[in-house]
Amino acid sequence: MTLPPTKAPTLLETRSPLLRRPGKWRISNIIDGRALRVKLTAAALDNFGDPQAARKAALDLLHGAMFRGRMIAQERLQQGADGLDTARLLSAVQDEVISALYDFTTTHVHRARNPTEAERITIMATGGYGRGVMGPSSDTDLLFLRAYKVSPHTESVVEYMLYALWDMGLKVGNAFRTPSDCVKLSLEDVTIKTSLLDARYICGDEALAEEMLTAFHEGAVKGRDAQFIADKLAERDARHARQGDARYVVEPNLKEGKGGLRDLQTLYWIAKQTYGGHTLEDVMQAGPFTDHEYTVFIRAARFLWTVRCHLHFVTGRAEERLSFDLQPEIAARMGYRDRRGQQGVERFMKRYFLVTKDVGGLTRILAAKLEADQKKKPEGLRRFLPVRGPVELDEPGFIIDNGRINVQDDKAMRVDPLNMLRLFIVARDEGKDIHPHALSLLTRALRALNERTREKPEAQALILDAILGGDNPGRILRRMNEAGVLGRAIPEFGGIVAQTQFNMYHHYTVDEHTIRAVEAIAEMEYGRDEHPIKLVGELFDLIENRRALYLAMLLHDTGKGKGDQQIAGMKTARKACERLGLSEDETELVSWLVGHHLEMSETAQKRDISDPRTVTKFTEMVGSLERLRLLYILTIADIKAVGPGVWNAWKGQLLTDLYHNTAAALRGGRTDEAGVQAELEARAERRQNELVDRLGMVPPLMLAMETAYWTGFDIDDLAWHAQALNGGGNQVHHRLSLAGGAMALFVSGEDRPGLFADLAGTIAHNGANIIAAQVYTSREGGIIDVFMLHDIQDKPFGKDDPARLERLQADLHKVLAGEPVDMSVRERLGRRQAAFLVHPSVQIRDDLSADHTVIDIAGRDRPALLYDVANCLAGSGISIHSAHVGSFGERMFDAFYVQTEDGQKLQQDAALKESLREQLLDVLGRHEPDAPHTPARKLRRSRAVDSF
């Protein structure tokens, strides 16, 4: 009988072919410690009398062993091993290399045949390495422990080993101490104590290591729980403050961010200090967690370590930030694929944020247990107050416990799940924090807040009270969301918890953005807005359904990831409102607001709002003043909640003008184009009269401008224009916009073919980015163009560098005079922008304006794009009547209202339209960046989702 051929031995343990992940590893299968030491001895003997050659040969062997271990770890990770397993393998590899180096050093280089007490030495791992986990690019933290004083022998051993490790490319953190030093320094510095809390013996004098660990436990750990816990929690709070104290920023720091690895490690350190244990599993099982919570902890640790190991291997450095350029690559490596309207990278990031949320829940549970055991010092001013007994509240079952809201009975949440909602309302009404014990009970009872409970009339009333009661709904909604209650109470909101959108426009996850938008409405309603808008304050006195406004804001993005977000959002909003018991009319209003929440923003920023057809179509869509008022406030809040610097006075002016134009048409009862045109002309005349009253005169060029110019600026802007034009001739002026968000640049002169393109090219050449532009041409050929400018850091151009503004203005004067100017532009797209696949589009439409063809272009934003587009239009004999320019993260959307040279629309010339479309697509596709890359490989990219 012929036997089947035997397979060659593999580096990995044999595993079932049905298993997708690698099996368990044994370090002896990866590094044979005995064989390595034999080779090191041979290297020493072969190079006897030549210490440098012996050293080089030894380091080559050690480096080879370490490299082999790292490659196996990387291979296993790519095959599906989790990151915690990988980190432990890397730590074990490091152990083998360091102990082999120690044996080589003390046997063949600095040997002490009969070591004295002073020559005793041991090497211990500390920090993360001491916990037995290492990232691929993590530091190697070592403690060289001596018995008491420094001897020449121990000093020589330490020096030789450190230089050897550095020469192998390792980043080594090291300390050379006695056991008594360790105890003394731990009492002085909590960072040192934390590091030694994880200390682990590697090699050397094991008795000395035991002596240190015993002395450390007796002198620095035992009986010192409260101070250590307070120090670690203060350290955590300071770290969160440095990171912005937000869990849901879309480029999170994996290690230092809220809910990241450092928070997980803080839980471990506190549990180890308080409950003892050695391994990660020992410590957490000995702590206050249930079996389910222990599983959540281990699952979070595995996920975060998997992400970290992939990050380190991909970048080749200790990278801890999940930036846009790395997210698609890590998502693909971890097996996340595109599914039904949601990209793999978005699914991966959602999982990341859900894990960080779990870490927050575990932190609350541990805090509750520690406080119950009185091991956590009270926070803030409470630490100076005498501890009082619980005080009963009017709401049955709730008490004030040490200054915070708690429940009287640990079964309160399970017996009546509605107490989970009452808890937050009571805390709001009493103006108190919530006791961590109550949050711990809530976390463990969340499943009881189910469909049957939600449909109770009392549940409906409590949910609406949480959203609408009080003047700070953002605070209670954020508390409810952090605890997991908001998504259980309103499942439609639960679907967007931790959801991300892969673009550079949105700064937060969808749920965090939504809560910030609700906060923005409350700030406007109660006069807390940092940059108040006068009209908004007036409208709050006029709106009839405040509840519909807040509910629509809370539900406005619940359609994301389900196809067309506005259509899907109408369905989810209707379902939520029906469950909450709203009337049919109110449900219809909320559903309409959600289904049209982008329309006002897109119309104001992407259309000529002085064009009668634009106003007519928008007015027909809105239909009533109540809807208009609600949509106006909702749109402002939505934009403000996108991220820092997104809202500016320019956008506010556009929205306000669109509101006034639409409101006038609705009040006048005429929503046809002729009626709208009449109202716009009346508004323009009122502006002219107001300007005359303020300045006593109006420059001729301004009087020659069409209605669109006069309705496109507020009276302060118009006054600035008038003063700039007083000198006559070509004019270039600048000023910081009223909200300080951009540099406003005013340009006036005589029009000529290609002038707009030359202006845009000159601005780009000088390093400015045009984030918005308004272009006006008089009947006599005079121009007034106003540009809003940012620098490469998205700050107002030239604000801190007046010389740059002076150079730009000088160049623009040359352009207006027809003199040649350098317009070359250096492309400077970074790695983050290159991570996005942006598909260009061009639409040429004749139905959006009575007198002009509208060209909509969308694609990747880049320097000088506006110059290239304007040049293309000028080369085709197209005259730009108005331009509406917008940047939305990595994307741009520009709309041009154009005519032919003889003042006609393009509708009769199909060949010109097709030629123009092809040329514009070619312009949009130029200078497309390569995928971001590391020294070893190109990284994956993903499609940029719609910026809105």
Side-chain angles (χ1 to χ4, degrees):
M1 186 176 81
T2 305
L3 293 173
T6 58
K7 292 184 178 180
T10 64
L11 298 174
L12 307 179
E13 290 267 339
T14 303
R15 63 190 180 95
S16 165
L18 299 177
L19 294 176
R20 296 176 57 192
R21 301 178 186 278
K24 292 183 179 180
W25 51 268
R26 285 203 302 261
I27 192 62
S28 59
N29 286 2
I30 297 167
I31 297 179
D32 186 334
R34 183 174 179 278
L36 178 60
R37 284 164 174 78
V38 168
K39 292 176 182 177
L40 288 170
T41 298
L45 296 175
D46 290 345
N47 295 281
F48 187 74
D50 189 348
Q52 288 302 318
R55 182 180 186 275
K56 182 180 183 306
L59 292 193
D60 287 344
L61 289 167
L62 291 166
H63 188 270
M66 184 174 67
F67 182 78
R68 171 188 170 84
R70 288 172 60 85
M71 290 302 99
I72 292 173
Q74 185 173 9
E75 180 185 352
R76 287 173 55 86
L77 183 68
Q78 291 170 347
Q79 290 176 356
D82 70 73
L84 196 55
D85 177 83
T86 302
R88 284 171 166 165
L89 172 52
L90 289 168
S91 175
V93 167
Q94 203 80 322
D95 285 355
E96 288 295 320
V97 170
I98 290 172
S99 59
L101 173 61
Y102 173 80
D103 288 346
F104 176 81
T105 304
T106 55
T107 303
H108 301 292
V109 183
H110 299 291
R111 184 166 188 172
R113 295 185 181 276
N114 295 300
T116 64
E117 184 70 12
E119 291 174 332
R120 293 173 66 199
I121 186 172
T122 190
I123 301 174
M124 303 185 73
T126 59
Y129 180 33
R131 289 191 299 278
V133 288
M134 285 191 74
S137 298
S138 294
D139 293 356
T140 303
D141 294 325
L142 297 176
L143 171 63
F144 293 92
L145 196 64
R146 64 183 189 270
Y148 60 101
K149 66 179 181 179
V150 178
S151 71
H153 170 75
T154 54
E155 202 167 40
S156 297
V157 170
V158 171
E159 183 179 2
Y160 188 90
M161 289 188 66
L162 282 176
Y163 276 104
L165 293 170
W166 288 331
D167 288 348
M168 282 192 284
L170 297 176
K171 293 175 288 183
V172 183
N174 64 93
F176 191 22
R177 299 177 184 138
T178 64
S180 59
D181 290 339
C182 292
V183 175
K184 179 174 178 290
L185 292 170
S186 295
L187 295 173
E188 297 172 357
D189 189 333
V190 70
T191 303
I192 294 175
K193 177 177 177 178
T194 306
S195 177
L196 291 175
L197 199 61
D198 295 321
R200 175 176 58 86
Y201 169 77
I202 300 176
C203 55
D205 191 326
E206 192 168 0
L208 183 58
E210 286 297 326
E211 180 186 331
M212 190 283 290
L213 291 173
T214 302
F216 172 73
H217 184 267
E218 292 297 322
V221 175
K222 197 173 179 180
R224 299 178 183 273
D225 293 355
Q227 186 59 52
F228 179 77
I229 293 166
D231 288 342
K232 296 313 293 182
L233 293 179
E235 188 180 87
R236 180 202 62 181
D237 294 342
R239 185 178 67 254
H240 289 173
R242 287 195 303 273
Q243 294 292 324
D245 203 24
R247 192 187 313 282
Y248 305 114
V249 291
V250 292
E251 290 185 288
N253 187 304
L254 172 76
K255 184 177 179 182
E256 303 291 342
K258 198 169 186 178
L261 266 174
R262 190 65 83 198
D263 279 4
L264 209 61
Q265 289 162 358
T266 299
L267 289 176
Y268 164 81
W269 288 323
I270 291 175
K272 186 168 186 177
Q273 164 78 33
T274 310
Y275 303 103
H278 295 286
T279 67
L280 178 69
E281 288 79 4
D282 291 342
V283 170
M284 300 316 295
Q285 285 177 326
F289 301 116
T290 63
D291 289 345
H292 171 70
E293 290 155 0
Y294 165 77
T295 301
V296 169
F297 180 96
I298 295 299
R299 191 169 58 210
R302 285 175 177 158
F303 177 84
L304 293 174
W305 269 106
T306 302
V307 175
R308 191 184 194 202
C309 287
H310 278 299
L311 266 178
H312 286 200
F313 276 130
V314 167
T315 61
R317 63 179 185 273
E319 179 61 63
E320 309 295 354
R321 187 170 179 237
L322 261 174
S323 52
F324 288 130
D325 55 313
L326 295 169
Q327 289 175 14
E329 178 72 22
I330 304 302
R333 284 169 174 250
M334 291 181 65
Y336 289 87
R337 302 289 180 259
D338 296 353
R339 284 186 188 170
R340 294 178 307 181
Q342 200 170 24
Q343 297 188 88
V345 64
E346 294 173 317
R347 294 179 57 235
F348 161 63
M349 291 306 298
K350 178 165 186 171
R351 172 68 181 145
Y352 173 85
F353 288 117
L354 287 173
V355 166
T356 64
K357 193 166 178 287
D358 286 343
V359 175
L362 293 173
T363 302
R364 288 191 295 273
I365 290 168
L366 181 61
K369 176 63 175 173
L370 294 172
E371 189 141 334
D373 295 343
Q374 297 184 345
K375 290 183 176 179
K376 175 175 177 279
K377 292 184 175 180
E379 299 172 351
L381 295 175
R382 288 197 303 274
R383 67 184 186 274
F384 299 113
L385 302 176
V387 177
R388 299 174 56 190
V391 177
E392 292 189 20
L393 296 172
D394 293 338
E395 183 69 39
F398 291 90
I399 57 175
I400 296 179
D401 183 356
N402 199 20
R404 287 162 295 180
I405 305 301
N406 205 347
V407 290
Q408 280 183 313
D409 186 352
D410 285 1
K411 298 178 182 177
M413 309 287 187
R414 295 190 182 277
V415 171
D416 184 358
L418 293 184
N419 280 328
M420 288 185 254
L421 297 171
R422 296 188 188 101
L423 175 67
F424 295 95
I425 295 170
V426 170
R428 178 199 66 200
D429 294 343
E430 294 291 331
K432 304 287 186 183
D433 287 337
I434 298 174
H435 199 286
H437 178 65
L439 289 172
S440 173
L441 295 173
L442 181 150
T443 300
R444 290 169 173 171
L446 265 178
R447 290 186 180 179
L449 194 57
N450 51 30
E451 188 67 28
R452 196 165 125 198
T453 303
R454 288 190 292 264
E455 289 179 347
K456 293 179 180 178
E458 189 179 359
Q460 297 168 352
L462 288 170
I463 293 169
L464 290 173
D465 186 13
I467 299 169
L468 299 162
D471 63 355
N472 189 3
R475 185 179 187 190
I476 187 172
L477 290 176
R478 187 168 282 106
R479 281 176 168 179
M480 292 173 70
N481 192 38
E482 283 283 328
V485 171
L486 188 56
R488 299 288 298 186
I490 306 176
E492 293 75 17
F493 185 89
I496 60 170
V497 170
Q499 186 171 327
T500 65
Q501 302 160 92
F502 190 61
N503 60 51
M504 293 175 65
Y505 181 60
H506 290 91
H507 293 234
Y508 308 106
T509 56
V510 179
D511 55 328
E512 177 66 14
H513 158 75
T514 299
I515 293 172
R516 286 173 182 259
V518 173
E519 279 181 321
I521 291 179
E523 287 170 357
M524 290 187 283
E525 180 178 10
Y526 295 103
R528 299 192 300 265
D529 194 6
E530 190 176 347
H531 299 290
I533 301 169
K534 182 181 177 183
L535 176 61
V536 172
E538 296 170 355
L539 292 183
F540 267 109
D541 295 331
L542 299 175
I543 59 175
E544 299 168 8
N545 198 324
R546 173 179 174 272
R547 183 164 76 175
L549 173 63
Y550 277 91
L551 278 174
M553 193 82 268
L554 186 66
L555 299 168
H556 79 285
D557 273 346
T558 53
K560 282 193 171 174
K562 299 180 175 67
D564 185 312
Q565 64 162 303
Q566 292 193 114
I567 295 174
M570 290 182 77
K571 297 176 183 177
T572 55
R574 174 171 289 280
K575 186 176 180 181
C577 290
E578 289 172 351
R579 188 190 306 105
L580 290 170
L582 271 62
S583 67
E584 178 58 33
D585 287 345
E586 194 169 16
T587 297
E588 179 61 33
L589 177 57
V590 173
S591 179
W592 183 89
L593 286 169
V594 172
H596 296 82
H597 74 273
L598 300 177
E599 300 296 338
M600 193 166 194
S601 175
E602 293 199 342
T603 300
Q605 295 185 69
K606 300 180 178 180
R607 294 289 171 254
D608 184 349
I609 58 176
S610 62
D611 187 296
R613 185 165 295 180
T614 299
V615 178
T616 298
K617 286 190 172 185
F618 186 73
T619 303
E620 289 172 350
M621 181 201 74
V622 173
S624 73
L625 282 169
E626 174 70 1
R627 281 182 171 182
L628 176 63
R629 291 164 184 153
L630 295 175
L631 186 59
Y632 172 70
I633 295 172
L634 184 142
T635 301
I636 292 173
D638 193 15
I639 297 174
K640 286 189 171 188
V642 168
V646 175
W647 173 260
N648 55 46
W650 183 285
K651 292 175 183 175
Q653 184 62 47
L654 290 174
L655 289 169
T656 301
D657 287 343
L658 178 58
Y659 173 87
H660 284 308
N661 293 347
T662 308
L666 289 168
R667 288 194 191 97
R670 287 191 61 187
T671 59
D672 59 288
E673 290 185 33
V676 170
Q677 179 65 35
E679 175 56 34
L680 290 172
E681 289 174 355
R683 286 191 63 214
E685 185 176 352
R686 288 195 295 271
R687 288 265 172 92
Q688 290 178 14
N689 293 334
E690 191 176 352
L691 189 62
V692 170
D693 291 342
R694 180 182 288 199
L695 300 180
M697 54 80 66
V698 178
L701 178 57
M702 293 177 67
L703 290 173
M705 288 292 166
E706 296 180 353
T707 301
Y709 170 75
W710 288 96
T711 58
F713 297 96
D714 64 19
I715 190 63
D716 291 326
D717 285 329
L718 292 169
W720 177 47
H721 298 176
Q723 291 163 350
L725 290 168
N726 275 340
N730 298 332
Q731 296 292 331
V732 181
H733 296 270
H734 71 271
R735 73 170 183 177
L736 199 63
S737 65
L738 296 181
M743 188 63 68
L745 185 72
F746 174 89
V747 180
S748 174
E750 292 298 318
D751 196 16
R752 60 173 170 78
L755 176 60
F756 180 76
D758 291 345
L759 293 173
T762 302
I763 291 171
H765 170 74
N766 279 270
N769 183 30
I770 300 171
I771 61 168
Q774 288 175 287
V775 180
Y776 302 96
T777 307
S778 72
R779 303 173 190 87
E780 290 77 22
I783 63 127
I784 292 179
D785 294 352
V786 179
F787 302 92
M788 305 298 284
L789 306 181
H790 273 177
D791 60 20
I792 193 174
Q793 296 177 326
D794 287 330
K795 296 179 180 178
F797 178 79
K799 180 181 178 182
D800 301 319
D801 190 356
R804 296 184 74 188
L805 274 171
E806 291 174 8
R807 287 194 297 272
L808 172 59
Q809 292 189 184
D811 284 349
L812 290 173
H813 274 292
K814 290 180 182 178
V815 170
L816 292 171
E819 299 175 20
V821 175
D822 183 5
M823 297 183 193
S824 61
V825 177
R826 183 173 63 86
E827 295 296 323
R828 52 178 186 272
L829 288 178
R831 289 171 56 92
R832 294 166 71 242
Q833 291 92 331
F836 299 92
L837 293 170
V838 181
H839 299 295
S841 68
V842 176
Q843 291 186 334
I844 303 176
R845 300 178 61 179
D846 292 298
D847 61 323
L848 298 177
S849 174
D851 301 318
H852 303 91
T853 295
V854 178
I855 301 176
D856 288 336
I857 66 170
R860 183 186 299 280
D861 196 15
R862 62 173 173 82
L865 176 60
L866 185 58
Y867 167 60
D868 290 342
V869 170
N871 247 341
C872 178
L873 295 176
S876 298
I878 304 298
S879 175
I880 299 174
H881 173 74
S882 67
H884 307 272
V885 180
S887 296
F888 306 93
E890 75 291 340
R891 297 161 63 97
M892 47 70 63
F893 186 102
D894 296 350
F896 299 90
Y897 283 65
V898 303
Q899 292 176 332
T900 60
E901 289 177 328
D902 56 359
Q904 301 298 313
K905 295 169 77 171
L906 310 185
Q907 58 190 1
Q908 304 302 327
D909 197 337
L912 175 60
K913 282 184 176 180
E914 184 58 32
S915 171
L916 194 57
R917 183 176 180 279
E918 290 179 1
Q919 291 179 60
L920 288 170
L921 284 172
D922 177 65
V923 167
L924 292 171
R926 290 178 198 166
H927 309 294
E928 185 65 17
D930 290 334
H933 60 85
T934 66
R937 65 182 66 82
K938 282 189 176 181
L939 302 180
R940 290 176 176 84
R941 298 197 280 181
S942 196
R943 177 179 53 84
V945 300
D946 186 347
S947 296
F948 283 95

